[in-house]
Amino acid sequence: MMEPYFITASKRMCQEAGMDPNEVSRPKKFLSEVAFEDRRKSYSEILSVVSFFSNKLLDSLQGTPILVVVSDAEGYLLDIDGDATIKSMIEQFGIKKGSLFTQEDTGTNVISLALQEKQPISIIGDQHYHTFLHEIACYGTAFYITDENKKLGSVCIMMPIQFQNPLFLTMLSQSIDSIERELLLRKQNRKLDILNQIMLSRTRNGIVITDEFGITIEFNEFAQKISNTSRESVIGRNICESPLTGDYFKEVLEQEKMFNNEELKFEDKSGNLVVCLFDAQPIYEGDKMIGAFGQFRDISERYLLQEQYNYLAYHDELTKLPNRRYIKREIDTIIRELHSGVHRTLALLYIDLDRFKIINDNFNHSYGDYLLTEVSKRLSTCLGENDVLARMGGDEFIFLLKDFEDANYVENKAEAIINLFTQPFLIQNKEIHTTASIGVAIYPDYPLSYEKLMVYADNAMYQAKLQGKNRYVVHSSDILKVMQDEYSLELDLGRAVENNEFVLHYQPQVHNLTGELVGFEALIRWEHPVHGLLLPGKFIKLAEENGSITQIGEWVINEACAQNKKWQEAGMPPLKMSVNLSTQQFLTTNLINFMEEVLERTQLNPECFVVEITEYMAMEYDYSIRVLKQLKALGIGISIDDFGTGYSSLNYLKDFPIDTIKIDKSFIDELMNDRNGALIVKAIITLAHNLQKEVIAEGVETIEQLNFLKEHKCDISQGFYFSEALPADEIANRYLA
């Protein structure tokens, strides 16, 4: 394999400098003890973060003799951790904390080159210039404070050459990503602390802050104004003694409860009714609760007005958010002002949760209600000063953005909302993963009704669903035409199974070593009476949206099993038939019973049938492992499809009863011109074989790709190089003739 350019350049520099490759080249510059401690002190927060993630890396590789080395941006070693034997060995070469690594002093080394290059690097064996390092494999990468693109240092791992594995470079890259995210989050939190101090004096809400014992330590100006109570009379007293909020704070401090929009009423000194919405929640530093935060919002004026129209009529009972009626009233008011010449800006973000119906149907509705409540709380954290968040019904929410000045505000808000769903929701001690699809509609510079604006937002949201979910789409005029076409197609889809319009095509799977046919993948096609033969990309997402995907999936399983049995009876040897399971079908409660019934009715040997699942399905860990074990007990083969493109976890390969790993076509496409992609493919094959699992490569189109896969012991291939997916009669003509 060709040596990377930076290693070649480094070796040339060593040669030109007259370095003897057989002599030990030691660092020549060291920090004094005082300077080293000062340097570590200035890096203390960075080192604590790096240490946390490097320890996780060491734990995950327990049993492998590995050393983790951390340097600053100049190349001074700040920390060395890991295998004691390797640490002792390198100290003999002058490699210790406080030493400076430069190529001029130490020749070709992973620390200097990791700081020099923009991407993760590896230096294996004789890629080092000096022969005393030829038995060492090194991997390294720089890390940055990403919002400034400022280089902070490097993290490198070293090990004996016999333990080298390209997967280590991927693991190191993932650790660095986590380090950079954590450092950025901490920086943002410091900024947030400053903003909070400003907020206390600038907000129009009353703020109360206590320590962990309930002693009031902050009571801002608006709190004094709302309550007609002086700051001096409150500071230092226990908030739990307050007749108005004491019970709430007591539950916050003792039970870590949170309260949102609790309605408080009291009379001021003049006897006037004061109505506030009160929020309270614990304050944490790390995992430790250090106090409580309470906030009053004076809604007295609004309350009196809303009493006339019935407050509850404008709010959602479950989440306490404004409802559809509330949003309509707000938008109609803004549109009237716009039409009268008032300068205002207006945009809608229409949010629909992805997979909510599956969660609701396959757990229970109380889970769904809990999830909606937690989603509303998380969405509320994204509210700007002039924003309104409402629940429109079901799993649909809307952000009404008003009077924003920057045109980028709308899309930045949509992006921020998408990011809120990266972490799972904890519902009754179970992690629930969901994402959101968002349709964005910005009020144009011509008159538009509320109804039309809502249609625009809803259509854009639907497009986000069709494009793969977990994203936002901004409305454009082209979307209307697309939506009309898709609506027509959706109506036809409802009758397609009944009218027997679906067919299966079968793509051969060939054993790379013997060249023998070993199986087929069944792929659905729709023979539309008007549009002709449609591929799955045209209708599968529609079927998922309207709930018909399970019915279609059951038809596919039944047809594939029956066809395989028919071929066997006609003289074809027993081959495996693979079928993709949709997420909804995988989560249906009758899946196992249905599979048993089909296998019994078609008399197909279960060993000739394989179900393909995606990594995304496996995210519901407890459910997935139970169902997969039940499928395995039937004798059915299990393949994980598109491996490496989704929510990858090595736990899936270790714990799940998976027979086959299928390498995604995207990796095969770039196999011959993407070195990193090729490394990943080799690593997947090695990992799978070490776990006693078979490997299938899909999308093989050239002899070069096939030869690469054969060379690296990939078991099976499928793709256009062998054959496109063919109708059943063409398969019979080819393999039964």
Side-chain angles (χ1 to χ4, degrees):
M1 185 177 292
M2 185 178 294
E3 197 173 63
Y5 73 93
F6 53 85
I7 292 179
T8 303
S10 176
K11 286 183 173 179
R12 185 166 56 247
M13 183 275 292
C14 293
Q15 249 180 345
E16 291 171 356
M19 290 185 181
D20 186 342
N22 297 312
E23 289 184 5
V24 175
S25 188
R26 305 172 184 272
K28 295 182 174 56
K29 187 172 181 182
F30 300 83
L31 291 172
S32 69
E33 188 174 333
V34 173
F36 176 72
E37 289 305 320
D38 287 344
R39 186 70 59 100
R40 276 187 62 91
K41 187 175 180 180
S42 68
Y43 267 71
S44 60
E45 183 182 43
I46 295 170
L47 285 173
S48 72
V49 172
V50 173
S51 176
F52 174 79
F53 287 100
S54 64
N55 285 338
K56 288 182 69 174
L57 182 62
L58 286 169
D59 289 344
S60 69
L61 296 172
Q62 205 165 30
T64 303
I66 185 171
L67 201 67
V68 178
V69 178
V70 182
S71 81
D72 67 8
E74 295 179 60
Y76 282 103
L77 302 193
L78 300 181
D79 201 11
I80 302 174
D81 195 12
D83 186 79
T85 303
I86 302 178
K87 190 185 300 185
S88 174
M89 180 193 74
I90 66 170
E91 284 179 356
Q92 299 173 24
F93 304 140
I95 302 172
K96 61 182 182 178
K97 294 178 183 179
S99 57
L100 175 65
F101 267 73
T102 65
Q103 292 187 75
E104 291 76 14
D105 291 343
T106 55
T108 304
N109 68 86
V110 71
I111 296 161
S112 299
L113 292 178
L115 290 169
Q116 168 188 307
E117 297 302 313
K118 290 291 187 182
Q119 71 278 344
I121 68 162
S122 61
I123 309 180
I124 313 295
D126 61 6
Q127 291 181 337
H128 291 95
Y129 179 75
H130 289 93
T131 56
F132 72 94
L133 293 173
H134 284 185
E135 295 304 314
I136 298 293
C138 300
Y139 304 90
T141 184
F143 62 97
Y144 296 75
I145 186 73
T146 51
D147 63 334
E148 300 177 13
N149 198 29
K150 178 183 176 183
K151 187 184 300 177
L152 297 177
S154 72
V155 178
C156 303
I157 57 177
M158 306 173 184
M159 67 203 68
I161 194 168
Q162 62 265 33
F163 292 94
Q164 66 167 305
N165 191 322
L167 196 58
F168 289 146
L169 201 61
T170 302
M171 296 172 71
L172 180 60
S173 298
Q174 291 171 345
S175 297
I176 290 298
D177 286 343
S178 300
I179 288 167
E180 290 178 340
R181 283 197 298 271
E182 177 65 19
L183 290 172
L184 182 60
L185 180 61
R186 292 190 179 198
K187 179 181 177 183
Q188 291 169 338
N189 284 341
R190 286 193 292 273
K191 290 181 179 179
L192 187 60
D193 288 340
I194 296 170
L195 292 173
N196 285 341
Q197 295 176 38
I198 297 171
M199 179 194 73
L200 286 172
S201 60
R202 297 294 299 274
T203 181
R204 294 187 173 274
N205 296 335
I207 302 294
V208 183
I209 300 176
T210 80
D211 66 13
E212 61 188 305
F213 305 106
I215 304 303
T216 307
I217 59 175
E218 185 56 64
F219 194 73
N220 76 343
E221 179 182 348
F222 277 89
Q224 298 175 66
K225 183 178 178 181
I226 291 170
S227 64
N228 275 321
T229 306
S230 69
R231 189 174 189 274
E232 292 72 23
S233 67
V234 174
I235 296 295
R237 290 180 57 187
N238 195 312
I239 195 68
C240 297
E241 298 170 0
S242 167
L244 186 63
T245 61
D247 290 342
Y248 293 106
F249 277 104
K250 186 176 176 64
E251 290 191 57
V252 170
L253 292 163
E254 293 180 358
Q255 303 175 38
E256 300 187 31
K257 275 194 173 183
M258 292 181 63
F259 295 95
N260 289 296
N261 294 334
E262 295 291 329
E263 193 176 280
L264 302 180
K265 299 178 186 177
F266 55 94
E267 291 185 354
D268 63 16
K269 290 181 178 179
S270 302
N272 298 316
L273 177 67
V274 178
V275 182
C276 290
L277 291 181
F278 173 69
D279 305 329
Q281 65 186 59
I283 303 172
Y284 295 95
E285 183 173 350
D287 294 328
K288 182 184 177 186
M289 187 180 73
I290 60 170
F293 170 89
Q295 177 177 244
F296 300 87
R297 282 164 286 147
D298 188 349
I299 62 163
S300 302
E301 185 176 338
R302 189 175 76 188
Y303 179 85
L304 294 174
L305 177 63
Q306 288 173 336
E307 268 194 330
Q308 300 172 28
Y309 297 102
N310 188 342
Y311 176 83
L312 294 176
Y314 288 92
H315 288 78
D316 174 57
E317 184 177 358
L318 177 65
T319 63
K320 311 304 182 203
L321 293 176
N323 60 13
R324 183 183 295 270
R325 188 182 291 108
Y326 183 101
I327 288 295
K328 183 179 187 306
R329 187 180 65 180
E330 287 287 304
I331 294 175
D332 283 341
T333 299
I334 296 171
I335 289 176
R336 281 197 300 272
E337 292 182 5
L338 283 165
H339 290 179
S340 65
V342 178
H343 175 69
R344 299 197 68 176
T345 50
L346 167 65
L348 299 183
L349 306 183
Y350 205 106
I351 305 164
D352 187 273
L353 302 185
D354 301 325
R355 300 175 61 244
F356 179 78
K357 185 178 186 301
I358 299 173
I359 294 168
N360 222 23
D361 290 347
N362 290 278
F363 293 98
N364 58 56
H365 287 277
S366 65
Y367 269 85
D369 286 348
Y370 277 123
L371 177 59
L372 291 172
T373 302
E374 292 304 310
V375 166
S376 69
K377 291 176 183 176
R378 198 175 288 186
L379 289 174
S380 296
T381 65
C382 216
L383 280 168
E385 183 179 354
N386 297 321
D387 303 340
V388 177
L389 169 64
R391 181 186 176 207
M392 303 301 282
D395 61 330
E396 296 177 341
F397 296 82
I398 203 163
F399 265 81
L400 169 60
L401 310 183
K402 304 181 292 182
D403 303 321
F404 47 88
E405 296 179 1
D406 186 352
N408 294 324
Y409 181 81
V410 179
E411 292 196 45
N412 289 342
K413 180 71 67 174
E415 191 70 44
I417 293 169
I418 293 292
N419 291 335
L420 289 177
F421 292 84
T422 55
Q423 295 299 316
F425 292 86
L426 189 63
I427 309 297
Q428 297 183 3
N429 295 319
K430 181 182 287 290
E431 283 191 352
I432 301 293
H433 296 263
T434 188
T435 52
S437 298
I438 304 175
V440 179
I442 302 172
Y443 194 89
D445 54 4
Y446 55 85
L448 200 67
S449 68
Y450 160 84
E451 289 77 15
K452 200 72 170 177
L453 189 63
M454 291 294 291
V455 167
Y456 286 175
D458 187 64
N459 287 350
M461 181 272 290
Y462 188 69
Q463 281 300 304
K465 293 273 190 188
L466 292 178
Q467 290 179 21
K469 306 184 179 70
N470 192 28
R471 68 193 63 215
Y472 69 89
V473 169
V474 181
H475 168 78
S476 66
S477 56
D478 294 337
I479 287 179
L480 285 178
K481 176 65 168 62
V482 172
M483 290 296 297
Q484 289 167 354
D485 293 342
E486 287 173 348
Y487 178 71
S488 174
L489 202 62
E490 186 176 2
L491 291 177
D492 295 340
L493 186 61
R495 299 185 289 267
V497 173
E498 181 183 328
N499 294 342
N500 199 29
E501 293 173 3
F502 290 115
V503 295
L504 291 183
H505 286 191
Y506 304 87
Q507 187 166 45
Q509 297 174 330
V510 178
H511 197 282
N512 289 334
L513 183 62
T514 65
E516 293 177 352
L517 177 71
V518 293
F520 299 96
E521 181 179 3
L523 300 166
I524 192 170
R525 304 289 187 261
W526 181 8
E527 290 185 329
H528 193 279
V530 175
H531 302 297
L533 194 67
L534 299 181
L535 296 177
K538 284 288 187 180
F539 61 89
I540 289 297
K541 289 188 183 301
L542 286 176
E544 291 173 341
E545 291 293 331
N546 68 16
S548 63
I549 188 66
T550 299
Q551 182 188 13
I552 294 172
E554 290 179 350
W555 178 88
V556 170
I557 290 172
N558 187 73
E559 181 72 11
C561 288
Q563 184 61 68
N564 197 6
K565 184 65 176 177
K566 188 184 299 182
W567 283 333
Q568 291 179 21
E569 290 174 347
M572 189 180 289
L575 301 173
K576 293 184 184 296
M577 178 69 73
S578 298
V579 169
N580 292 282
L581 283 186
S582 72
T583 302
Q584 291 181 33
Q585 191 173 10
F586 182 66
L587 293 174
T588 54
T589 55
N590 71 332
L591 175 63
I592 304 302
N593 290 337
F594 174 77
M595 299 295 272
E596 287 179 313
E597 186 270 329
V598 171
L599 291 170
E600 182 176 348
R601 176 163 37 78
T602 61
Q603 293 298 296
L604 181 68
N605 186 334
E607 293 181 359
C608 294
F609 188 64
V610 178
V611 293
E612 295 186 4
I613 67 165
T614 64
E615 294 168 80
Y616 192 78
M617 296 180 197
M619 289 169 69
E620 302 295 352
Y621 183 89
D622 292 338
Y623 176 88
S624 299
I625 199 165
R626 185 177 75 251
V627 172
L628 291 177
K629 284 181 177 178
Q630 290 174 323
L631 288 170
K632 192 68 180 170
L634 295 178
I636 293 171
I638 298 169
S639 173
I640 190 161
D641 197 14
D642 303 335
F643 185 78
T645 64
Y647 188 84
S648 300
S649 171
L650 297 182
N651 276 337
Y652 299 161
L653 303 185
K654 178 172 69 74
D655 297 339
F656 290 178
I658 295 165
D659 303 297
T660 307
I661 293 174
K662 206 167 189 186
I663 303 175
D664 184 67
K665 182 180 185 295
S666 60
F667 290 112
I668 305 302
D669 287 343
E670 298 299 318
L671 200 56
M672 307 316 297
N673 52 28
D674 182 353
R675 179 175 175 272
N676 288 337
L679 286 173
I680 291 171
V681 170
K682 288 193 287 184
I684 291 173
I685 295 170
T686 301
L687 179 64
H689 285 168
N690 287 340
L691 292 171
Q692 307 301 310
K693 302 185 189 303
E694 207 170 37
V695 184
I696 298 179
E698 62 179 356
V700 177
E701 297 183 356
T702 67
I703 186 63
E704 290 82 6
Q705 292 170 344
L706 180 60
N707 287 339
F708 178 96
L709 294 167
K710 286 181 176 179
E711 179 186 348
H712 295 285
K713 306 298 187 291
C714 177
D715 303 293
I716 297 168
S717 294
Q718 71 179 83
F720 283 4
Y721 178 79
F722 301 101
S723 172
E724 63 183 346
L726 300 172
D729 56 351
E730 291 190 37
I731 292 290
N733 290 338
R734 179 177 295 189
Y735 297 104
L736 283 171

